[in-house]
Amino acid sequence: MDMLSIALVALTSIAGGIFLTWKLLLLLAPGWYSKMIGGNHVSVDDFVGGPPSAKSALKSVLMNWLSVGSRVAKREGYDLKTEDSDKVPGLKVTSRDEKGTKSNGGAGKPPPVIVGTIRMGFGHHRIAYAATSWGLGGDVASKDRDTWFHDFLNIESEEAQMIKDTDKLYSKGSRLASELGGTAEKIWGSITKSGDEDSLRVTYQTSEHLVPLIAGLDRDSPIIASHSLVACAAVAAGFKNVINLVIDNHAQWFVVAPGALNLVQGPSNYHSLLQMGVPEKDLALAGHWIPRDLVEGIPDACARRSARRKAGKPLRIIIPVGGAGAQRKFIIDLIGALSGLVKEGKVQLFLNAADHEHMKKAFIEVLEAHGVDFDNVSNMKGVREFKDKMMTGEPKKNVTLFAYDDYFTAVATTDILCNVADVLACKPSELAFYPIPKLMIRRVGDHEAYSALRASELGDGTLEIREVPLAVKYVKIFLTTDLLHVMNKKIEDNNKIGTYDGCKEAMRLALEMVGK
């Protein structure tokens, strides 16, 4: 037998071995899958319309192994304590307590409203704080129940560490995709928008391991979750009154939670989820996830913006950095391209580097390279004083750099400044739904494109702008046409029909579930 024949026989044997191994794995996968879900509190398969195929079962088992390894899920909750927030008056914040604290609203009070989140990026935290604002005041807030802010990562534990490790990988992927562009960006984009039934199977299975992070709370408390993992964990822990605030404007299975009421921000996402197979009883259209002070301030903020434009005052643009710290190249190039308009006094920039030291450094470098002077704000007191001054006055310099050491101030700065800025220039993240004229700049994941579309259709934002020259062109359009006035008028019209009342509606429904 010659060498070619031997090689062909070897290749055929290898191929045959691979084929038989694949068939064996498919044969075994349903059994592995059944064992994996055996102790689950709810059936994801019933929720998505049926059991997985052999391939999906194998995929779900492998993805679950990559997520949690061979660890065994625990059920007992950690002892918790609450403290008054040093950032938000009236809000109570949970953390782990070795001594233990009963999760009730205090003597004579009913169980509190729990707003649960995970500090993964800024979006989920921002939405959670928006929800708490409606529990602390306004016409839907309960007079009897406290509002608790429950961040899974604030409960020091092996489960919290598991989440942190996953978030590090996601943040790294976002930054690499944003910086490299091209094929890397396309692959990352595809990953972020491919949430099929298996993605929910794995998400829920992961949440079974997170039950200890929420099981220490009173089961009679209503839960408002700004992350699907929190909603799924609450359901898995036996909570009956769970609301899941669905993120984005792109229908994917892993953003909804079986056993919870899933609230969505816009009608296209609502009917897309229905078409996908989410049961109607588990789904409702609510509105955008916006904090109370921004919603209540819409009339005055829009009037101020229109008055500034009419008076020919500088265009104020706030440019925030997301929690993953991505978009560095695009944002730096944009600042450089706007430097001429800044030095001419036509544009003012509010740059929020958040708690990212690398973005603070990059902002300073580009400003110095273009000879642009700037002012600094480094704490919450400074942000609030700056905002108060901007209500009627002008900044000391045309560029103000906001940079911090703490996470909360980094997130809150953008919300605080929205009422005194004319335009928000941001990727189509959770901020795409905010009631301020928006310049929607380059996305980090393909799923975000649909949020920019939502803003454009509503008339309060542009379509996604992927190139710096086009972004600069839009800034000049804001300066020379009535576009800013048109967007503010649309914001006022949208507000009248409750477009921005999503968090208000979530709080109302949560209290209604437990009879207020």
Side-chain angles (χ1 to χ4, degrees):
M1 185 179 291
D2 58 24
M3 292 301 295
L4 178 59
S5 298
I6 293 173
L8 288 173
V9 170
L11 288 174
T12 301
S13 298
I14 292 171
I18 292 174
F19 177 77
L20 290 174
T21 301
W22 173 247
K23 286 296 185 181
L24 179 61
L25 289 173
L26 292 181
L27 184 65
L28 295 173
W32 293 338
Y33 177 78
S34 294
K35 182 178 179 180
M36 181 182 76
I37 67 172
N40 287 1
H41 190 78
V42 299
S43 171
V44 175
D45 293 338
D46 288 347
F47 185 74
V48 301
S53 65
K55 288 182 181 179
S56 286
L58 180 60
K59 175 184 173 185
S60 298
V61 170
L62 289 175
M63 289 177 66
N64 180 66
W65 181 80
L66 289 172
S67 176
V68 301
S70 59
R71 80 185 301 273
V72 177
K74 302 175 183 177
R75 302 295 301 177
E76 186 176 352
Y78 293 113
D79 292 330
L80 302 173
K81 63 180 179 179
T82 60
E83 296 177 335
D84 292 334
S85 170
D86 61 348
K87 307 292 185 182
V88 181
L91 183 66
K92 294 186 179 298
V93 179
T94 61
S95 61
R96 188 170 177 181
D97 180 16
E98 298 299 333
K99 295 180 180 179
T101 300
K102 291 183 179 180
S103 66
N104 55 45
K109 287 187 177 183
V113 178
I114 307 296
V115 179
T117 189
I118 301 178
R119 192 168 63 249
M120 298 175 73
F122 288 167
H124 299 288
H125 240 218
R126 191 187 308 281
I127 293 169
Y129 274 112
T132 63
S133 70
W134 292 98
L136 299 174
D139 54 6
V140 298
S142 170
K143 296 179 180 179
D144 301 319
R145 294 179 188 268
D146 288 334
T147 300
W148 290 12
F149 187 87
H150 185 65
D151 178 7
F152 275 18
L153 296 192
N154 210 31
I155 315 302
E156 294 186 11
S157 60
E158 61 178 282
E159 290 84 4
Q161 188 59 50
M162 184 173 70
I163 298 172
K164 291 176 183 177
D165 292 342
T166 301
D167 185 45
K168 287 179 183 178
L169 292 175
Y170 180 84
S171 296
K172 186 174 182 179
S174 294
R175 288 193 295 270
L176 285 174
S178 178
E179 293 297 314
L180 297 175
T183 302
E185 185 178 26
K186 289 180 181 179
I187 293 172
W188 185 251
S190 177
I191 292 172
T192 62
K193 63 176 294 188
S194 57
D196 59 8
E197 294 92 335
D198 296 334
S199 69
L200 177 57
R201 291 185 174 103
V202 176
T203 296
Y204 180 81
Q205 209 59 43
T206 300
S207 76
E208 286 277 346
H209 290 260
L210 305 181
V211 164
L213 298 177
I214 199 168
L217 297 170
D218 193 320
R219 296 300 195 282
D220 292 328
S221 281
I223 305 290
I224 300 176
S226 70
H227 197 298
S228 61
L229 271 174
V230 175
C232 287
V235 171
F239 286 86
K240 301 299 182 184
N241 302 304
V242 181
I243 290 176
N244 177 41
L245 306 184
V246 178
I247 58 171
D248 301 327
N249 193 43
H250 176 51
Q252 303 189 81
W253 276 110
F254 73 88
V255 300
V256 295
L261 176 60
N262 297 279
L263 301 185
V264 299
Q265 299 186 82
S268 64
N269 207 21
Y270 175 73
H271 64 65
S272 292
L273 288 167
L274 284 174
Q275 181 273 333
M276 202 168 70
V278 177
E280 183 180 7
K281 66 180 179 62
D282 298 324
L283 194 64
L285 175 61
H288 295 189
W289 315 137
I290 311 297
R292 182 167 59 90
D293 61 337
L294 280 185
V295 175
E296 293 177 349
I298 284 174
D300 290 343
C302 289
R304 281 194 300 273
R305 295 184 196 113
S306 294
R308 286 180 59 80
R309 262 313 63 236
K310 189 174 181 180
K313 293 187 177 181
L315 183 72
R316 292 175 176 172
I317 305 175
I318 177 171
I319 305 178
V321 177
Q327 297 178 288
R328 186 189 66 83
K329 186 177 186 305
F330 187 96
I331 290 177
I332 294 307
D333 289 347
L334 177 59
I335 293 171
L338 291 174
S339 61
L341 292 172
V342 171
K343 287 189 278 191
E344 291 173 19
K346 295 180 179 179
V347 169
Q348 295 172 354
L349 298 179
F350 302 162
L351 306 178
N352 183 9
D355 58 351
H356 299 297
E357 184 63 30
H358 73 286
M359 287 304 305
K360 175 184 175 181
K361 181 179 178 182
F363 279 152
I364 292 174
E365 287 177 351
V366 70
L367 292 171
E368 290 180 345
H370 287 85
V372 178
D373 199 9
F374 60 95
D375 200 6
N376 287 284
V377 174
S378 59
N379 54 53
M380 180 60 78
K381 181 174 181 289
V383 179
R384 296 196 183 281
E385 290 176 348
F386 182 86
K387 182 246 186 179
D388 290 342
K389 181 180 179 181
M390 293 305 99
M391 296 289 282
T392 55
E394 298 297 328
K396 294 179 181 178
K397 298 173 182 177
N398 285 335
V399 176
T400 306
L401 174 60
F402 300 83
Y404 314 99
D405 294 327
D406 73 291
Y407 188 91
F408 176 85
T409 308
V411 177
T413 290
T414 300
D415 289 13
I416 293 170
L417 296 182
C418 274
N419 268 341
V420 294
D422 297 319
V423 175
L424 170 62
C426 63
K427 70 186 183 74
S429 59
E430 78 286 351
L431 293 171
F433 299 86
Y434 265 43
I436 175 175
K438 292 174 289 291
L439 186 69
M440 298 275 83
I441 60 177
R442 190 170 184 145
R443 66 181 182 264
V444 174
D446 283 359
H447 64 295
E448 293 182 337
Y450 303 92
S451 298
L453 182 62
R454 169 71 174 164
S456 180
E457 293 286 333
L458 283 174
D460 63 6
T462 67
L463 287 169
E464 181 191 2
I465 297 169
R466 297 185 59 79
E467 303 296 335
V468 169
L470 183 57
V472 174
K473 185 175 182 179
Y474 262 99
V475 170
K476 292 178 179 178
I477 290 173
F478 281 128
L479 287 168
T480 58
T481 72
D482 282 339
L483 179 58
L484 196 69
H485 173 74
V486 170
M487 285 188 175
N488 280 297
K489 180 63 169 60
K490 292 305 297 181
I491 291 170
E492 292 181 288
D493 292 344
N494 295 335
N495 188 42
K496 291 175 183 176
I497 60 173
T499 299
Y500 307 110
D501 286 348
C503 283
K504 178 181 180 180
E505 180 67 1
M507 185 60 65
R508 184 191 69 78
L509 288 169
L511 293 170
E512 185 179 276
M513 284 177 170
V514 292
K516 294 192 176 182

